[in-house]
Amino acid sequence: MLGLLGMAALAPAWAATHTATPDTRSGRHIMPPVHPRTAPCDIPAPLTAAQLRVLAARTAATPPTVLPAPRPAAQVLPTAAAEAGCDGPGRFAFVRLRQWAADTRIQGGHATRRIVVFEQRHWRADDGSGRETSLCYPPDPHPTTDDTYPAGTLDGAIGPIAGTPAALAAQITSISPPFLGAPAVLDAIASLTRWRTPDRDARTAILTLLRHTPRLTYHPAVRDRAGRVGVGISATSDHGALRGLLILHPTTGEILAYERAHFPPPQDHRSPTGQVEDYLLFTAHTRTSTTHTP
C-alpha cells in the first residue's frame, strides 16, 4: 500500500550550505539566509518520463535524513515568518511537488517493497475546485493522470490554511486528533500544504503552533533532497519507531520537504538503519489565475 501522503516535485540545488550560528544574547540558533540559484518564485519545468525514471533509479534506496543534534523547538523557533514567500494574487493555490512513496505488496505470503516516485502539480481554489496532474515511475496501468475537480470536491470542509494559531489548530485536529501525538501534527501540516499555499499569516500561525506543540525538536541546517538547507522540526512516536520531519525555509517559514521514516527495533546492539515511508519535496508554493501553469 502506498504511503498516506500525497505526491511531490524536485527543485534546483541551492547554491551553498549554511551553518547555524548561536545568538549569544538569546541562546537561539539563527539560520542565515540561503540563496537559490534561481529566483525564489521561479517554477521549474516538470520532469519528463525519462527524467523521472532516472531519478527513481538513483534515489530509490535513499535512507532517512541524518539530523544534527536537537534542541526543544519551543526554545528556538521564530515567532513569525520574517520574509514574504511566493503567495501572490491569483484564484488558485498552485503547488508543485514530488513524492517518494513506499509501496508494499503481499503475494503468496511474501512481502515485497518498492519505491514509487510521483511528479505532481496541484491547483486549488478556495471553493474546493481545482486540477491535478500526475506522472509516476515505475508506471502503473495509468502512469499519467490529469483530473479536474468541481467546486466542493477538494477537501470541502477545510478552506485555505488558517492565519491564526487557534483556527489552524482546529484544522489540524480535524485531520489528526490530538491522541495521535506530535508526529501526526507534522503529518497534518504537510498534508494541508500539498494543495494549499500558506500566506505569511498562515506560515506564522504554523510556526506558532509548532512552538506550542509538546515533544517537537529543532535541528539546524538540514538539507532536503533538492540540496536546499533549512531548519528541521522532528517528532518521534512513543516507542521511537516512527519519525516525522518537516524542513522549513529559515526566513519565510515555507515548507520545503516532509519525511516520514520507520526505524525497526535494533538487533545485535546495532543502530537501526530505518526506511523512508514517504518523502514530499515541494518545489513551488504560489498562486495563479489559471489551472494551466507550466
Side-chain angles (χ1 to χ4, degrees):
M1 178 181 295
L2 287 176
L4 299 178
L5 285 177
M7 330 301 173
L10 183 65
W14 287 26
T17 299
H18 289 62
T19 303
T21 56
D23 181 339
T24 56
R25 293 168 299 175
S26 65
R28 295 185 177 184
H29 282 269
I30 307 299
M31 281 295 296
V34 288
H35 302 287
R37 290 175 179 168
T38 56
C41 296
D42 282 358
I43 300 174
L47 296 185
T48 66
Q51 291 171 324
L52 190 62
R53 181 173 65 250
V54 171
L55 176 72
R58 189 174 72 243
T59 60
T62 302
T65 302
V66 177
L67 297 177
R71 293 184 63 187
Q75 296 180 4
V76 288
L77 268 177
T79 57
E83 294 182 3
C86 300
D87 44 308
R91 180 185 174 195
F92 297 94
F94 175 69
V95 184
R96 176 171 286 166
L97 56 139
R98 177 168 302 141
Q99 181 192 24
W100 288 257
D103 181 12
T104 301
R105 301 185 181 188
I106 300 176
Q107 188 172 11
H110 298 282
T112 59
R113 184 179 187 271
R114 66 174 185 169
I115 300 297
V116 182
V117 184
F118 297 86
E119 168 98 356
Q120 285 201 333
R121 294 177 297 172
H122 291 162
W123 295 262
R124 186 188 188 282
D126 290 346
D127 64 1
S129 63
R131 179 186 176 205
E132 175 185 34
T133 67
S134 178
L135 172 68
C136 73
Y137 188 86
D140 61 15
H142 303 285
T144 61
T145 61
D146 189 339
D147 298 311
T148 300
Y149 299 91
T153 56
L154 288 174
D155 296 332
I158 301 177
I161 299 177
T164 65
L168 176 63
Q171 290 180 334
I172 296 296
T173 299
S174 71
I175 300 172
S176 297
F179 71 85
L180 294 177
V185 172
L186 302 184
D187 193 282
I189 291 172
S191 179
L192 280 173
T193 55
R194 284 184 55 224
W195 283 90
R196 297 165 178 83
T197 295
D199 61 18
R200 193 168 182 171
D201 287 343
R203 295 195 306 276
T204 294
I206 289 172
L207 291 171
T208 301
L209 179 71
L210 292 174
R211 280 177 59 89
H212 291 88
T213 299
R215 299 178 59 190
L216 293 183
T217 53
Y218 168 97
H219 310 267
V222 178
R223 186 183 298 273
D224 71 12
R225 290 192 180 184
R228 303 173 299 187
V229 177
V231 297
I233 306 298
S234 72
T236 58
S237 62
D238 290 339
H239 302 290
L242 182 68
R243 186 190 74 188
L245 168 68
L246 278 178
I247 303 176
L248 310 178
H249 189 284
T251 55
T252 68
E254 298 271 3
I255 309 297
L256 301 180
Y258 174 71
E259 176 185 271
R260 187 170 63 238
H262 179 259
F263 294 87
Q267 298 178 350
D268 301 327
H269 305 287
R270 291 175 296 179
S271 298
T273 56
Q275 293 181 325
V276 176
E277 294 183 352
D278 279 285
Y279 193 103
L280 296 181
L281 184 68
F282 296 94
T283 57
H285 268 120
T286 187
R287 299 193 69 88
T288 67
S289 58
T290 150
T291 58
H292 297 285
T293 311

